[in-house]
Amino acid sequence: MSLALDSAAQDLLFREARTANTFTDEPVTDEQVQAIYDLVKYGPTAFNQTPLRITLVRSPEARERLVKHMAEGNQPKTATAPLVAILSADNEFHEELPALLPHFPQAKDVFFSERPVREQSAVLNAALQAAYFIVGVRAAGLAAGPMTGLDFAGVQKEFLDADHTPLMVVNIGKPGEDAWFPRSPRLAYDDVVTTV
């Protein structure tokens, strides 16, 4: 059975897409990032919550501050990528729910009045949105290099606040020379899917 998405798009988004480790010096514009966000913001989340926050690290000073919090093997990639984004979860996302969920504005207080519940929901749903963001980067003809090898507490202190939980850092740009590691295996359908 074929998919509705044509084969070239399937390759662009999934089969041929890889995590990039090197990039060219071609800039990534604000317009490209806005086009990516304007596409992926439609990905589903629970209660239509939108906890993902994207911090674009553009200035040399901010880049230097970020690189020192990256794991040693991720530092050169982060130092040289055309654009770096810090993806985080806003733990106060519930304040926007009355506007985002107009048919059930009381969800803000009914389900999310307690901070631990919000934190759990924010991280889960922002992680979903982060995955959409990575696919959106690919849809823009760019490569993404998502990384979790970093000092999360350091990144939070340096760039965020107590209401934002860092999830990952994503390097973004056109893939450079020797950008890809060999493709790693994936589990087969029968290893993953069961029917009850």
Side-chain angles (χ1 to χ4, degrees):
M1 177 178 172
S2 62
L3 301 173
L5 203 61
D6 70 48
S7 184
Q10 294 172 39
D11 287 344
L12 177 70
L13 299 179
F14 296 102
R15 284 193 292 261
E16 298 299 323
R18 311 281 284 285
T19 295
N21 295 291
T22 67
F23 298 88
T24 69
D25 59 3
E26 184 178 327
V28 177
T29 67
D30 287 336
E31 292 77 15
Q32 286 173 297
V33 177
Q34 182 166 351
I36 291 164
Y37 179 75
D38 285 342
L39 174 66
V40 304
K41 68 183 178 183
Y42 295 108
T45 59
F47 293 95
N48 201 37
Q49 62 185 270
T50 308
L52 180 68
R53 297 295 178 266
I54 303 166
T55 303
L56 301 179
V57 182
R58 288 206 179 272
S59 74
E61 297 80 17
R63 184 74 64 100
E64 189 175 308
R65 288 168 37 219
L66 176 60
V67 167
K68 71 181 182 182
H69 295 293
M70 302 303 295
E72 185 176 344
N74 291 333
Q75 289 180 353
K77 296 183 271 191
T78 303
T80 58
L83 180 62
V84 180
I86 301 168
L87 304 188
S88 62
D90 182 355
N91 296 307
E92 298 299 312
F93 70 89
H94 69 305
E95 296 295 345
E96 298 158 343
L97 283 181
L100 294 173
L101 203 64
H103 63 280
F104 186 30
Q106 62 271 33
K108 170 185 178 276
D109 298 314
V110 172
F111 293 103
F112 301 109
S113 62
E114 296 179 18
R115 176 72 180 230
V117 172
R118 286 199 307 276
E119 289 177 351
Q120 183 178 15
S121 189
V123 167
L124 173 62
N125 286 279
L128 281 173
Q129 290 186 285
Y132 303 144
F133 181 78
I134 292 166
V135 173
V137 167
R138 294 171 174 183
L142 301 169
M147 299 170 293
T148 56
L150 56 112
D151 172 5
F152 284 91
V155 168
Q156 182 176 33
K157 183 176 181 182
E158 192 85 40
F159 292 95
L160 307 170
D161 59 32
D163 288 333
H164 293 80
T165 303
L167 301 173
M168 67 186 70
V169 168
V170 182
N171 296 327
I172 304 168
K174 294 281 187 180
E177 188 175 335
D178 298 321
W180 322 118
F181 293 144
R183 170 74 78 189
S184 296
R186 298 295 194 270
L187 294 176
Y189 178 89
D190 290 337
D191 295 326
V192 174
V193 178
T194 57
T195 302
V196 293

